[in-house]
Amino acid sequence: MASRRSPIAISGGILISKLQEANNRAEELRSLIYYHDHRYYVLDAPEISDAEYDELMRELIAIETEHPELVTPDSPTQRVGGEPSQAFKPVRHRARMMSLANAFSFEELAAFFNRISGELGTDQIELVCELKIDGVAVSLTYEHGMYVNAATRGDGEVGEDITANVKTIQSLPLRLFLEAPPDVLEVRGEAFLSKEQFKQINEEREELGIPLFANPRNAAAGSLRQLDPKVSAKRNLDMFVYALGYVEGVAFTDQWGLLKYMEAAGLKINKHIKKVGSVQEAYEFCEYWQDKRHSLPFEIDGVVIKVNSFARQEKLGATSKAPRWAIAYKFPAEQKTTVVLDIELNVGRTGALTPTAVLEPVVVAGSTVGRATLHNEDEIKRKDIRIGDTVIIQKAGDVIPEVVAPIVSKRTGSEREFAMPHECPVCGGEVVRPAGEAVARCININCPAVIFEHVIHFAGRAAMDIDGLGESVAHQLLDKGMIKDVADIYYLTKERLLGIEHFADKAAENLQAAIEHSKERPLARLLFALGIRHVGAHVAEVLAETFGSIDALSRASFDELVATPEVGPKIAESIIEFFDEQRNRAVLEKLKSAGVKMEQEAATGKGIARNLNGLTFVFTGGLTQFTRGEAEELVKSMGGKASSSVSKKTDYVVIGENPGSKYDKAKALGVKIITEDEFKRLVQEISSRG
Ligand code: IVH
């Protein structure tokens, strides 16, 4: 059969040269784009506008779309689109990935220096000081200058393949800027998230009601462990390189030379590096950055001090875990003392009263802290925190402020112990703390604080998603008596909305349109929005699927409810209690009359690979490679179900570290138990089939 190409070849040079021309232009565009990526993402010194850059990208995409045969794997258009099925496959490191020994004081640094001076027979040792980036260690391999793979450290010998996810890091060159690239260049570095990115990701997660990442490092790890590189790409990871792995075809004499070589190759190195000749100077560098660390746009947790000469490094060797030629000086968690001015109570959507310490404002780990949650009454008692106490505070994971302990010696006798009130501080309603529970609640269903929180939850992104109904508008609607419950939202007219401060025609119209639009949300969203205790977004989905309408759910008996996957006695009771409450029934009636959708639409049969169809998973214990939420999302995205309790209907119990009673129950019921790794393999196998 004649190939599609032959007529082109026969018809002479014109068409060939056209293709050649396209190829040349594509290559030219790629070089230009690499150059500008480097200016922008590595050097932070762009030379062209975003619009001009987009134009280059558009032209390249147009050529590659017309001639797919011209696409190269290192093309900037290919950053996203790697093979997720390859994700996490084991990769044996050609040179071991080691960690570092730690020092926590000048004395420990001096001991390190004395040891190496003894072994090298001199105290004239050049050292390189670098920042210790708080991210995830990654090994990158370039062959003949082309990016070929990336792996996590794993146990140091075998890591996991994260090539596709790392490829989405924009500062990473897919082709090295070297005239004569070495056959193999394996470099190590740290993938990380800027503080700003971390904040944005957590804000988004908060809105969606998914658990927050505790710190940027966890967020970076989570982002690298996404099965879908498109998700990684959205996280805007970045990366600094700082060490050598395995190489062929190039030799280095020292760490400083390596850093400069990597920089010239287009890789991103951190510019805060210093060559020093003594342990005192190294310590000065540590002290300087301990003080200035918060001015950096990314997190560091210390300074790494390395012997510069590679010959000396070799002489010093390594232990089984860490090189003897380097040490990490770790910063202490920054603590401050301040005074507890008051302990305030916040009333949440479920009426839960959460005590918060109001503090004399003080700067800790780079930002001013004026409040810190004290969680609950027992926690305050356990730590013996009193109003008026001078306390030590710090930020957990350098992010969330917490009160560590009172300084008892500073007490004057005028401090006051905290006592949970019997009346709600907002409405005066009764406060109840059920036996065995840590949380005290206001049980007045008309409590304005509870209603306010409920309105915010109802209108939130993961619930009815009413754009424009945020805190300030909700406050006004309630204060002005325009709404008394969430159903009243659907009876607001444009005229009434104009009564909101700073609301002109357009804003009122937009809000009204958003409210109208929200009537069509799927049943699961409405169920979640109603704020029934223990009914989160996931359980709401299961209930919507099982019962199909609010009416049917409201009529369900306890037995019918507990027979539903995911639903245990606690949730069942809470649902029954909710529908028993006259006020809730009235709200539902009003929602119905306003035209809010109260039924499930017929199944749409989404076109995704639903290979876990019908299988129910329960996760228990600490997962190390996914957050619980991610693992559950993954199961759902593949058509399975994630449940929080083990029953005979459970198909798999996935165990992480220190699995709890669910593990015992699974064993007792004979449910199949798999490890987190086995779960990951199962998912990979299915996604590579799909
Ligand atoms: S050198 C063989 N340099 O800290 C030595 N590590 O606690 C390899 N890290 O595993 C590491 N910044 O993930 C080195 N400038 C830096 C670093 C750095 C962060 C990380 C790295 C390492 C961990 C050890």
Side-chain angles (χ1 to χ4, degrees):
M1 214 168 74
S3 100
R4 294 191 67 207
R5 287 204 178 182
S6 52
I8 300 175
I10 294 161
S11 66
I14 305 167
L15 285 172
I16 292 177
S17 73
K18 271 227 152 136
L19 189 65
Q20 190 60 50
E21 218 174 86
N23 192 25
N24 292 347
R25 179 63 182 156
E27 265 309 286
E28 190 179 0
L29 286 164
R30 280 178 205 132
S31 297
L32 279 169
I33 293 168
Y34 296 141
Y35 174 79
H36 291 296
D37 276 346
H38 185 250
R39 299 281 328 171
Y40 186 91
Y41 293 107
V42 179
L43 304 178
D44 198 13
E47 285 175 353
I48 58 173
S49 67
D50 286 359
E52 285 168 302
Y53 178 87
D54 290 346
E55 191 43 51
L56 296 175
M57 203 61 157
R58 257 200 299 277
E59 192 185 341
L60 179 60
I61 291 170
I63 297 176
E64 290 183 348
T65 311
E66 197 178 334
H67 306 286
E69 67 275 28
L70 296 183
V71 178
T72 59
D74 66 328
S75 175
T77 58
Q78 303 301 302
R79 281 209 187 264
V80 185
E83 281 288 309
S85 59
Q86 288 295 304
F88 312 139
K89 140 186 124 196
V91 184
R92 181 163 288 280
H93 298 301
R94 284 187 276 193
R96 202 146 51 90
M97 274 183 93
M98 289 191 283
S99 73
L100 293 170
N102 294 325
F104 294 94
S105 63
F106 176 75
E107 287 67 35
E108 289 180 22
L109 269 191
F112 161 77
F113 192 79
N114 288 340
R115 180 173 58 73
I116 60 172
S117 320
E119 284 175 40
L120 295 172
T122 173
D123 60 2
Q124 299 299 300
I125 306 169
E126 198 166 51
L127 301 167
V128 177
C129 302
E130 299 171 14
L131 300 184
K132 185 166 171 344
I133 317 295
D134 196 9
V136 180
V138 171
S139 181
L140 300 174
T141 308
Y142 287 86
E143 284 176 8
H144 308 289
M146 303 293 242
Y147 169 74
V148 291
N149 99 11
T152 60
R153 178 163 67 200
D155 62 4
E157 304 276 350
V158 179
E160 293 177 313
D161 189 323
I162 48 167
T163 308
N165 292 349
V166 170
K167 198 174 181 180
T168 67
I169 300 178
Q170 301 269 16
S171 62
L172 184 97
L174 299 180
R175 192 190 286 179
L176 296 177
F177 293 17
L178 295 171
E179 287 287 315
D183 296 341
V184 180
L185 178 70
E186 199 179 281
V187 293
R188 270 84 194 255
E190 203 82 355
F192 65 95
L193 280 169
S194 70
K195 292 174 184 167
E196 184 55 35
Q197 270 302 318
F198 167 70
K199 207 172 113 211
Q200 273 181 30
I201 292 171
N202 261 357
E203 274 169 12
E204 215 166 278
R205 291 173 81 87
E206 184 153 33
E207 251 180 72
L208 293 173
I210 37 184
L212 304 190
F213 287 119
N215 53 46
R217 180 169 22 86
N218 287 359
S223 306
L224 284 173
R225 289 213 177 90
Q226 293 295 329
L227 281 171
D228 183 354
K230 280 197 209 72
V231 179
S232 298
K234 283 203 204 111
R235 300 276 173 89
N236 288 325
L237 284 154
D238 204 343
M239 181 161 178
F240 287 124
V241 292
Y242 48 64
L244 198 58
Y246 173 86
V247 280
E248 270 177 38
V250 63
F252 300 96
T253 51
D254 56 30
Q255 171 69 8
W256 194 262
L258 168 68
L259 290 172
K260 294 293 158 186
Y261 177 89
M262 294 194 293
E263 185 176 28
L267 290 154
K268 187 162 172 170
I269 65 160
N270 186 268
K271 63 177 188 290
H272 304 298
I273 49 176
K274 191 170 183 187
K275 255 194 278 191
V276 299
S278 70
V279 68
Q280 283 77 13
E281 275 179 275
Y283 189 62
E284 273 165 33
F285 186 89
C286 297
E287 278 192 311
Y288 177 86
W289 282 108
Q290 186 164 317
D291 188 38
K292 292 276 185 304
R293 57 196 284 207
H294 304 301
S295 62
L296 292 166
F298 48 84
E299 295 278 348
I300 60 172
D301 59 344
V303 166
V304 183
I305 299 158
K306 304 174 181 174
V307 169
N308 190 23
S309 153
F310 281 1
R312 285 181 163 180
Q313 287 189 3
E314 210 161 301
K315 197 162 174 201
L316 289 164
T319 67
S320 62
K321 282 194 202 122
R324 289 184 211 275
W325 44 262
I327 195 151
Y329 173 80
K330 295 281 275 279
F331 298 144
E334 196 180 329
Q335 295 191 332
K336 284 280 172 74
T337 60
T338 185
V339 176
V340 178
L341 301 174
D342 200 0
I343 294 179
E344 267 183 15
L345 286 166
N346 280 339
V347 186
R349 174 167 59 85
T350 57
L353 265 57
T354 308
T356 302
V358 181
L359 306 166
E360 178 94 45
V362 57
V363 177
V364 194
S367 67
T368 305
V369 172
R371 306 170 73 79
T373 174
L374 296 170
H375 304 288
N376 56 53
E377 202 179 353
D378 292 350
E379 180 84 356
I380 301 175
K381 288 230 165 67
R382 192 175 63 75
K383 291 185 174 169
D384 186 22
I385 298 163
R386 304 181 188 175
I387 300 166
D389 262 343
T390 299
V391 291
I392 300 168
I393 63 166
Q394 69 178 25
K395 284 190 185 162
D398 251 8
V399 181
I400 301 155
E402 66 180 12
V403 178
V404 182
I407 305 177
V408 178
S409 62
K410 292 217 169 171
R411 284 197 178 141
T412 61
S414 63
E415 295 75 18
R416 278 185 295 127
E417 275 184 44
F418 170 81
M420 189 57 85
H422 300 294
E423 281 119 42
C424 169
V426 177
C427 69
E430 191 187 350
V431 169
V432 173
R433 179 177 165 188
E437 281 192 27
V439 179
R441 286 173 211 281
C442 165
I443 56 167
N444 171 17
I445 47 175
N446 290 314
C447 174
V450 174
I451 297 176
F452 169 76
E453 294 294 339
H454 189 195
V455 169
I456 293 297
H457 169 79
F458 186 88
R461 275 253 290 270
M464 299 303 266
D465 195 10
I466 306 178
D467 205 17
L469 211 174
E471 293 199 0
S472 133
V473 171
H475 263 307
Q476 294 192 55
L477 292 174
L478 288 164
D479 289 351
K480 293 184 198 303
M482 289 157 77
I483 60 171
K484 293 212 160 41
D485 58 40
V486 293
D488 291 340
I489 296 171
Y490 293 96
Y491 295 86
L492 290 164
T493 57
K494 185 180 156 193
E495 288 63 40
R496 303 211 66 195
L497 287 174
L498 284 171
I500 299 175
E501 229 170 85
H502 309 305
F503 251 48
D505 266 14
K506 192 75 200 146
E509 271 165 29
N510 286 347
L511 181 52
Q512 213 185 10
I515 292 170
E516 195 54 36
H517 200 64
S518 75
K519 290 180 180 171
E520 290 303 312
R521 300 275 176 249
L523 177 63
R525 296 279 213 98
L526 174 64
L527 269 172
F528 175 58
L530 290 174
I532 305 170
R533 267 185 80 193
H534 310 303
V535 176
H538 175 61
V539 170
E541 261 173 46
V542 177
L543 291 171
E545 230 160 77
T546 311
F547 293 93
S549 73
I550 294 274
D551 269 353
L553 180 64
S554 72
R555 286 194 304 266
S557 67
F558 181 85
D559 290 346
E560 281 170 309
L561 286 166
V562 284
T564 311
E566 322 283 315
V567 179
K570 210 159 126 186
I571 302 180
E573 260 166 37
S574 161
I575 294 170
I576 289 176
E577 222 171 81
F578 179 87
F579 286 108
D580 271 353
E581 169 62 48
Q582 167 53 32
R583 219 179 78 102
N584 292 334
R585 286 208 303 270
V587 166
L588 286 168
E589 257 331 295
K590 276 202 285 182
L591 287 170
K592 196 175 184 177
S593 312
V596 174
K597 193 159 73 187
M598 315 288 273
E599 273 123 38
Q600 174 88 319
E601 269 171 10
T604 49
K606 292 179 211 148
I608 48 168
R610 294 170 68 84
N611 298 298
L612 293 180
N613 229 347
L615 296 179
T616 301
F617 286 73
V618 174
F619 294 88
T620 176
L623 302 182
T624 57
Q625 317 182 34
F626 309 83
T627 63
R628 182 74 57 93
E630 279 164 2
E632 292 181 353
E633 273 312 311
L634 194 62
V635 166
K636 280 192 274 168
S637 73
M638 299 180 96
K641 289 182 191 146
S643 164
S644 49
S645 56
V646 179
S647 73
K648 271 189 276 181
K649 290 185 195 156
T650 310
D651 294 289
Y652 289 96
V653 169
V654 182
I655 52 165
E657 284 167 2
N658 305 321
S661 60
K662 291 179 199 168
Y663 176 44
D664 299 329
K665 187 160 177 199
K667 278 193 289 191
L669 292 175
V671 172
K672 194 167 168 53
I673 297 165
I674 58 173
T675 63
E676 186 180 359
D677 278 340
E678 287 170 324
F679 167 70
K680 203 173 67 186
R681 273 200 294 277
L682 178 75
V683 167
Q684 273 162 16
E685 217 172 85
I686 288 171
S687 61
S688 64
R689 269 194 263 135

